[in-house]
Amino acid sequence: MRRSRSAVLGAGLLALALFAAACGGDSGGDGNGADGGERPTLSVGFVAFAENQIVAEMYAQVLEDAGYTVERQSTDSREVLQPALQDGQVDIAPEYLSSLLLFIDPEATASGDADATRATLEPLLEQQGQVLLDSAEANDTNAFVVTAETAEEHALTTMSDLAPVAGDLTLGGPPECPERPFCIPGLQETYGVEFGEFKPLDVGGPLTVEALDAGEIDVALLFSTSSTIGDKGWVVLEDDKALQNAENITPVVRKEVLDANPDVAELLNGIGAQLDSQTMIELNGRVEIDQEDPADVAADFLEEKGLLG
């Protein structure tokens, strides 16, 4: 994964190391952009997996095309990204509706209904000085995946099928899985599934893919828009009791930034209007399988859709 233009946010850092396309300007709104004057510097943050980086690059490149200086901030997880947004270290990020809602309020009710999830999430974000822009049609929900061999051996087609055999299997996924309601706690509560072992790996990324491919884990938590699933001939277990929720890709922006630079909303909403799930699978494949640079993939998409001047 491309890192050369991104700063990396570690959980223990109090300040960010910034890489900018050009020098100058404090991050956030200073009013300069609203009247057509000099544009401020904005920081786009993302979690370091292919899809999130591709979409963050789309945001960054559209903003740069409009005259903003953009700094890219790579983070390890939402646990790092959200505090950075709250502190003003990051201004903009591509997010996922239900996961963000349950991160902010673990007692909230998320569902497969994107509109209902947004209605619950928006006021919570407003309390933290953040604004939710338009959600894309692209819905990248969590998917529990097994190899074709494992599916055949244990007669697995649904998540419910896992319950009687999970004690003999190893789950691999993000380190946060034991605390996330859509992962281990939800599997236990909704399906009665308790795995014999859990291996902390990464967020739907190469470590999890490699571990499943090598037989080091039996079940992998990946993303439904991952191109690797189809490429490998793996089996997505049907979420037959609807544990997973609406995870439409949605820009989150600090309110201070939008107030000073109202055109940011129009620029980012224009991207989301062009993103559906199949498009994301294809774009992800260019990074995950073909090993293309996420910045190049993002630029091709933006040019094809006429989103660059």
Side-chain angles (χ1 to χ4, degrees):
M1 182 174 291
R2 176 180 150 283
R3 295 294 182 92
S4 59
R5 294 174 62 197
S6 301
V8 179
L9 262 171
L13 293 182
L14 297 177
L16 298 171
L18 304 178
F19 281 80
C23 296
D26 292 334
S27 181
D30 58 7
N32 286 339
D35 60 0
E38 182 183 353
R39 301 286 196 175
T41 295
L42 300 177
S43 171
V44 175
F46 59 92
V47 179
F49 62 94
E51 178 176 275
N52 212 240
Q53 187 167 359
I54 293 168
V55 178
E57 270 294 335
M58 292 178 187
Y59 295 173
Q61 291 181 29
V62 161
L63 291 168
E64 287 173 334
D65 187 63
Y68 292 94
T69 296
V70 178
E71 297 160 347
R72 290 130 168 104
Q73 308 296 342
S74 175
T75 73
D76 299 325
S77 67
R78 184 174 287 108
E79 281 78 1
V80 179
L81 181 57
Q82 262 299 307
L85 276 160
Q86 293 170 27
D87 293 345
Q89 298 173 354
V90 167
D91 298 313
I92 299 163
E95 263 292 1
Y96 299 86
L97 287 178
S98 292
S99 290
L100 180 57
L101 170 60
L102 294 173
F103 175 82
I104 293 175
D105 182 3
E107 302 302 318
T109 299
S111 71
D113 185 329
D115 291 337
T117 302
R118 284 184 60 95
T120 305
L121 177 58
E122 286 175 332
L124 296 176
L125 281 179
E126 287 174 5
Q127 294 172 16
Q128 299 183 3
Q130 299 174 43
V131 178
L132 203 62
L133 299 186
D134 293 349
S135 296
E137 181 185 333
N139 180 23
D140 185 6
T141 193
N142 303 290
F144 289 90
V145 178
V146 297
T147 65
E149 293 77 14
T150 298
E152 182 177 1
E153 178 183 355
H154 298 288
L156 301 176
T157 59
T158 70
M159 293 299 297
S160 292
D161 294 334
L162 277 172
V165 299
D168 297 323
L169 304 179
T170 298
L171 170 67
E176 302 83 17
C177 185
E179 289 80 43
R180 293 283 175 87
F182 62 77
C183 201
I184 288 177
L187 293 176
Q188 293 171 342
E189 181 177 348
T190 303
Y191 289 104
V193 168
E194 298 204 23
F195 287 99
E197 184 181 352
F198 169 67
K199 278 196 171 184
L201 296 166
D202 57 8
V203 184
L207 295 180
T208 306
V209 168
E210 290 165 9
L212 185 61
D213 208 23
E216 296 169 0
I217 59 174
D218 304 294
V219 182
L221 178 55
L222 298 175
F223 298 117
S224 60
T225 57
S226 171
S227 60
T228 305
I229 297 171
D231 185 63
K232 296 282 188 182
W234 291 342
V235 176
V236 175
L237 299 179
E238 179 190 349
D239 183 22
D240 53 309
K241 294 185 179 179
L243 171 61
Q244 306 304 328
N245 300 308
E247 297 288 8
N248 300 70
I249 300 173
T250 308
V252 174
V253 186
R254 290 199 305 113
K255 185 178 184 300
E256 180 184 357
V257 169
L258 280 184
D259 288 346
N261 308 281
D263 64 323
V264 167
E266 181 179 356
L267 291 167
L268 301 187
N269 285 337
I271 296 170
Q274 301 288 339
L275 281 179
D276 57 32
S277 296
Q278 184 56 43
T279 297
M280 280 312 323
I281 290 172
E282 293 167 2
L283 297 177
N284 289 340
R286 291 179 57 181
V287 175
E288 295 170 337
I289 297 171
D290 300 334
Q291 298 296 300
E292 294 187 48
D293 189 321
D296 294 338
V297 173
D300 289 346
F301 170 85
L302 296 173
E303 290 169 3
E304 177 187 343
K305 300 300 181 181
L307 294 172
L308 296 178

